[in-house]
Amino acid sequence: MEFKNHICVQNLNVYYGKVQALKNISVEIPDKKITVIIGPSGCGKTTLLKSFNRLIDLMDNVKATGKILVDGEDILDPKAEVVDIRKKMGLLSQKPYPLPMSIYDNVAYGPRIHGTKGRKELDQIVEYRLKESSLWEEVKDRLHDPASRLSVGQQQRLCLARGLAVEPEIILGDEPTSALDPNSSQRIEQKFLELKDRYTIVVVTHILRQAKRIADYVLFLYMGELIEHGPAREIFENPKQKLTREYIQGSIS
């Protein structure tokens, strides 16, 4: 199966002080597919994900070497514009973090920062992104209520709408359903499946069942190393590496 690539990682190493979290990672992330990163806790999944939008920069004493090419630009280059990089990538965290403002203003926040001021245009953006995130029908009559009044599942879909409002190319999810009830988790999964025709989606999960449901492509990390990667069916049905087989079978966790 041939994939067009969107993100190209070349010899990536990440250090937290003297501890090496990622070891010589080289992999290509396909465009407009769902790539799922799996592996035991502490294996470097979130570090790899947050390298893609330079969020590792916010941590103390972090050093990264190698290259991460997004649309041909090395985002680890010191001259790279971090604001532009993060605009390309919406991030859903484990726990939703709506901004302390109204539902409407959460979605309008990014477009306003990037120069959209007209009320009519903002109204259109808010409605479109809330519909895109399957939240519009639930909130259209209370757009000016505080976002904090939404359920956790609704807050996560609001955070998705907020991320989409800045027109990213890539959606990153760091265990985005781990804090949600089963129904809300299912809605987020379904939304990813609908959105992958328009966005490259990269998701970290510790739930193998979820990975099997949504993944087109899979990366298996173990102790900071990329053990195996490939189309989801190949990884889950016929893994080439013993470690991958053991992890999928539940022998290691």
Side-chain angles (χ1 to χ4, degrees):
M1 189 182 298
E2 290 294 322
F3 290 124
K4 179 187 172 188
N5 297 311
H6 196 163
I7 303 171
C8 181
V9 183
Q10 299 176 352
N11 303 313
L12 176 65
N13 295 276
V14 175
Y15 303 83
Y16 297 123
K18 295 181 179 178
V19 177
Q20 188 169 3
L22 293 178
K23 303 170 184 176
N24 206 35
I25 305 290
S26 292
V27 68
E28 295 180 336
I29 306 293
D31 183 40
K32 293 183 175 62
K33 301 289 180 187
I34 299 177
T35 295
V36 175
I37 306 173
I38 61 173
S41 296
C43 69
K45 301 187 297 294
T46 294
T47 297
L48 178 58
L49 188 82
K50 291 188 175 180
S51 298
F52 295 156
N53 66 353
R54 296 274 299 270
L55 273 181
I56 57 169
D57 293 15
L58 303 179
M59 303 181 70
D60 293 333
N61 208 16
V62 172
K63 177 187 174 187
T65 64
K67 292 183 177 181
I68 301 175
L69 303 175
V70 179
D71 299 324
E73 177 194 5
D74 180 13
I75 66 168
L76 294 182
D77 188 313
K79 297 175 185 174
E81 288 289 342
V82 177
V83 172
D84 292 342
I85 291 165
R86 292 183 185 151
K87 184 177 183 292
K88 280 187 177 184
M89 307 199 196
L91 174 69
L92 280 183
S93 301
Q94 292 183 33
K95 183 182 176 184
Y97 290 101
L99 300 171
M101 54 184 68
S102 71
I103 295 166
Y104 181 101
D105 287 335
N106 262 269
V107 184
Y109 182 82
R112 281 180 175 137
I113 284 179
H114 293 287
T116 303
K117 302 298 182 188
R119 182 71 186 203
K120 185 176 180 181
E121 187 177 358
L122 285 170
D123 287 350
Q124 290 172 340
I125 290 170
V126 170
E127 180 175 349
Y128 179 74
R129 298 306 177 181
L130 287 172
K131 284 180 175 176
E132 193 176 27
S133 304
S134 299
L135 191 57
W136 174 253
E137 292 300 325
E138 297 165 52
V139 303
K140 63 183 179 182
D141 297 323
R142 50 183 178 132
L143 291 174
H144 299 289
D145 286 1
S148 57
R149 292 185 188 171
L150 296 174
S151 71
V152 175
Q154 289 172 325
Q155 287 181 14
Q156 190 66 300
R157 280 180 283 144
L158 178 65
C159 291
L160 177 60
R162 187 178 74 210
L164 294 174
V166 296
E167 300 181 354
E169 298 176 9
I170 297 163
I171 300 170
L172 306 176
D174 185 13
E175 301 199 19
T177 64
S178 63
L180 306 184
D181 62 85
N183 183 51
S184 297
S185 296
Q186 186 178 20
R187 297 184 82 160
I188 291 290
E189 286 183 18
Q190 184 59 39
K191 187 45 58 180
F192 283 163
L193 291 168
E194 293 169 13
L195 291 172
K196 72 177 183 179
D197 291 339
R198 284 172 282 158
Y199 304 93
T200 296
I201 300 174
V202 187
V203 177
V204 164
T205 184
H206 65 280
I207 306 168
L208 279 176
R209 294 187 308 279
Q210 181 176 70
K212 290 175 182 177
R213 286 193 296 267
I214 68 172
D216 297 301
Y217 202 81
V218 174
L219 280 57
F220 171 56
L221 295 184
Y222 189 79
M223 296 185 70
E225 297 184 19
L226 179 59
I227 305 300
E228 188 168 355
H229 61 94
R233 178 172 288 183
E234 291 181 16
I235 296 294
F236 289 125
E237 295 182 5
N238 189 30
K240 296 180 176 65
Q241 302 299 324
K242 180 173 179 283
L243 268 176
T244 314
R245 274 196 306 278
E246 291 177 346
Y247 180 72
I248 289 169
Q249 292 167 357
S251 302
I252 56 175
S253 59

